[in-house]
Amino acid sequence: MDILSHGLWGGLLLGRTNKKDFWAAFAFGVAPDLFSFGIFTAMTVLGLVSGPDWSGGPPDPSAVPEYVHHLYNITHSLVTFVLAFGAVWVIRKKPYWPMLAWPLHILFDLPTHTAAFFPTPSLWPLLSYRFDGVTWATPWIFFPNWIALGIGYLWWFVHRKRISHAQIEKK
């Protein structure tokens, strides 16, 4: 799934209580891709390194630096998430629910990444199994995803306004 969709799903499903939780859930939704591909992408955009050719679709994975693959394994693992979520829970003495946008990202990636280009290592380092899905750029996945996001946000904004009006009428 594209990085923006991950953030928007995280915000929609886990950040509706207030703006702070929305942006936290959005950030946790994009974090796995940002922390794996972000450094390389920024360096490519700044002209510090040359990036692979994307004009014909996803490039050969060997054209992407090895450190990106390693970071991808770490950030796209439910094992890593459980350890991080547990550590935050221990430190805060309560769970931080917007963090659940991180495993949501991983679960969305499982069926929307192919074995040919960055399949999701959901149980790394325990298991090396990676599901061979269908690329998220396929029109029958890409467009319904954005339509569902649009419907979800429309519902949220309409529902939120109804609640606000009901609260004003009670006063």
Side-chain angles (χ1 to χ4, degrees):
M1 182 177 294
D2 64 283
I3 190 169
L4 183 58
S5 290
H6 282 302
L8 291 171
W9 278 115
L12 180 64
L13 298 176
L14 297 157
R16 292 188 315 231
T17 53
N18 58 55
K19 285 182 183 180
K20 182 180 173 188
D21 283 351
F22 173 84
W23 288 111
F26 184 93
F28 278 105
V30 301
D33 285 345
L34 190 64
F35 290 129
S36 55
F37 285 100
I39 297 165
F40 179 61
T41 301
M43 289 176 25
T44 302
V45 168
L46 294 172
L48 301 174
V49 297
S50 61
D53 179 16
W54 290 81
S55 63
D60 185 313
S62 65
V64 178
E66 190 58 37
Y67 74 87
V68 175
H69 291 271
H70 185 65
L71 290 172
Y72 188 83
N73 286 341
I74 294 168
T75 62
H76 285 75
S77 170
L78 293 170
V79 175
T80 305
F81 165 74
V82 167
L83 294 172
F85 189 77
V88 169
W89 193 333
V90 167
I91 292 166
R92 295 183 77 231
K93 299 188 182 3
K94 61 182 181 176
Y96 187 55
W97 300 117
M99 281 184 78
L100 292 178
W102 180 357
L104 182 67
H105 176 124
I106 295 167
L107 294 175
F108 275 137
D109 273 0
L110 280 170
T112 61
H113 281 235
T114 67
F117 191 73
F118 284 88
T120 306
S122 60
L123 296 174
W124 178 91
L126 303 178
L127 296 174
S128 61
Y129 176 78
R130 294 164 193 236
F131 184 77
D132 186 11
V134 179
T135 181
W136 58 265
T138 304
W140 59 269
I141 292 175
F142 184 83
F143 293 112
N145 168 59
W146 279 97
I147 291 167
L149 277 168
I151 291 168
Y153 275 90
L154 180 64
W155 177 85
W156 180 19
F157 289 125
V158 168
H159 182 69
R160 192 172 71 186
K161 284 195 176 206
R162 276 193 208 147
I163 291 171
S164 296
H165 289 303
Q167 289 171 346
I168 291 170
E169 290 175 5
K170 284 182 183 179
K171 291 179 181 180

